[in-house]
């Protein structure tokens, strides 16, 4: 979603803080069913193709949520959209459905197979774009693309090698998120080396979706990133901006 950017930009202006228009997108993974997160920086927040793709992703997810809620309703159990409010980051999706089902006791008393079917159905989220399509959308909007939190790509294996990430890089990535929210600080060193090997620039961030750490503090703004990364990233973004198709008048 790009809807908060205008407000962020004007707040930045009044406080002397540089705001870079950014977005996190969820794309279909190369193989397998899980998703991959991409970060776009310096995107034009009014880019028509990007906005249309985001709207399509949102509509697909709404339909998915309705389908799962209807399947639950068909069993005579009530779970409504409003019950999912507390679990959503941006808008309700598979995770909100799963949390909603578990915490509101939807599965209680159901045969195990039926409960499992509902959970699988909820988790099987639709994807509006492949990784390559998402990369092209961001580039088309004049932005650069970084692979978000590679440490989360495979559960329990935070340190991915360059060989493991090459196929992602070849989808057109500009950068890799080296500074990311993983316990300890050891990941950034590793991922800076991996980025180097893959010929990628580096980014960093807190991946904040309103999540809290173990002490209940917000992550927002608490992932330091060296300022030296900014210039090469901004230069790359100007290359993509220059390549944009001229807008039809
Ligand atoms: Zn993410």
């Amino acid at each position: 979603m790009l809807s908060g950017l205008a407000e962020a930009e004007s707040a930045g202006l009044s406080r002397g803080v540089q705001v870079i228009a950014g977005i996190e997108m969820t794309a279909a993974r190369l193989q397998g069913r899980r998703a991959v997160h991409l970060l776009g920086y310096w995107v034009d927040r009014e880019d028509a193709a990007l906005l249309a793709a985001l709207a399509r992703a949102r509509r697909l997810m709404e339909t998915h949520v309705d389908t799962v809620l209807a399947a639950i309703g068909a069993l005579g159990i009530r779970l409504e959209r409003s019950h999912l409010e507390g679990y959503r980051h941006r808008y309700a999706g598979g995770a909100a459905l799963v949390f909603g089902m578990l915490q509101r006791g939807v599965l209680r008393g159901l045969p195990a197979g039926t409960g499992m079917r509902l959970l699988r159905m909820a988790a099987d989220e639709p994807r509006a774009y492949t990784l390559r399509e998402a990369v092209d959308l961001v580039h088309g909007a004049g932005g650069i693309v970084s692979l978000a939190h590679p440490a989360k790509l495979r559960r329990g294996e935070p340190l991915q090698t360059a060989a493991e990430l090459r196929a992602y890089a070849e989808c057109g990535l500009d950068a890799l998120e080296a500074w990311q929210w993983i316990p300890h600080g050891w990941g950034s060193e590793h991922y800076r080396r991996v980025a180097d090997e893959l010929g990628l620039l580096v980014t960093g961030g807190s991946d904040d979706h309103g999540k809290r750490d173990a002490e209940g503090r917000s992550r927002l703004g608490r992932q330091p990133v060296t300022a030296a990364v900014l210039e090469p990233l901004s230069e790359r973004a100007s290359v993509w901006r220059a390549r944009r198709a001229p807008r039809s008048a």
Side-chain angles (χ1 to χ4, degrees):
M1 280 198 281
L2 297 164
S3 45
L5 282 173
E7 192 184 339
E9 279 162 12
S10 69
L13 271 180
S14 66
R15 288 168 178 78
V17 174
Q18 183 189 0
V19 174
I20 296 163
I23 185 167
E24 182 168 20
M25 294 169 79
T26 306
R29 193 182 274 240
L30 296 174
Q31 310 104 4
R33 299 194 85 81
R34 287 183 60 205
V36 59
H37 289 178
L38 290 181
L39 303 162
Y41 292 105
W42 284 279
V43 288
D44 173 359
R45 60 183 163 82
E46 285 169 12
D47 184 81
L50 181 58
L51 288 172
L54 296 173
R56 195 171 68 245
R58 187 181 186 131
R59 275 197 308 275
L60 275 176
M61 199 61 87
E62 277 168 2
T63 306
H64 172 66
V65 169
D66 287 342
T67 306
V68 177
L69 292 179
I72 294 168
L75 298 168
I77 305 164
R78 251 186 70 216
L79 186 69
E80 292 174 9
R81 269 187 171 278
S82 60
H83 296 147
L84 308 178
E85 283 296 309
Y87 315 114
R88 65 191 185 91
H89 298 315
R90 289 159 289 184
Y91 46 82
L97 283 165
V98 169
F99 282 124
M101 275 192 247
L102 294 176
Q103 292 185 3
R104 295 192 71 92
V106 166
L107 307 180
R108 226 174 280 144
L110 285 180
T114 308
M116 194 49 79
R117 180 177 64 81
L118 289 176
L119 288 173
R120 284 221 184 92
M121 188 179 174
D124 190 17
E125 293 181 323
R127 299 286 163 228
Y129 19 76
T130 63
L131 178 58
R132 200 176 282 273
E133 285 165 347
V135 167
D136 289 345
L137 281 165
V138 173
H139 286 158
I144 59 148
V145 189
S146 182
L147 182 67
H149 41 71
K152 285 199 205 158
L153 274 178
R154 280 201 296 168
R155 220 179 288 266
E157 291 182 60
L159 300 186
Q160 304 292 305
T161 65
E164 284 162 330
L165 295 179
R166 193 167 300 279
Y168 293 90
E170 284 170 353
C171 285
L173 294 180
D174 300 285
L176 190 65
E177 192 171 62
W179 291 270
Q180 57 197 298
W181 195 268
I182 40 180
H184 322 300
W186 39 259
S188 62
E189 192 66 36
H190 168 82
Y191 278 111
R192 272 182 290 170
R193 274 199 309 272
V194 168
D196 231 32
E197 250 182 88
L198 293 170
L200 296 174
L201 301 170
V202 283
T203 64
S206 60
D207 193 36
D208 188 90
H209 292 283
K211 284 184 193 155
R212 306 265 152 184
D213 67 10
E215 284 87 50
R217 295 174 304 172
S218 166
R219 296 173 179 183
L220 193 62
R222 291 179 44 228
Q223 174 61 64
V225 179
T226 169
V229 302
L230 204 54
E231 201 179 308
L233 292 169
S234 145
E235 270 169 24
R236 177 69 63 89
S238 61
V239 172
W240 287 115
R241 239 184 343 265
R243 281 196 212 169
R244 283 181 86 185
R247 286 185 192 214
S248 47

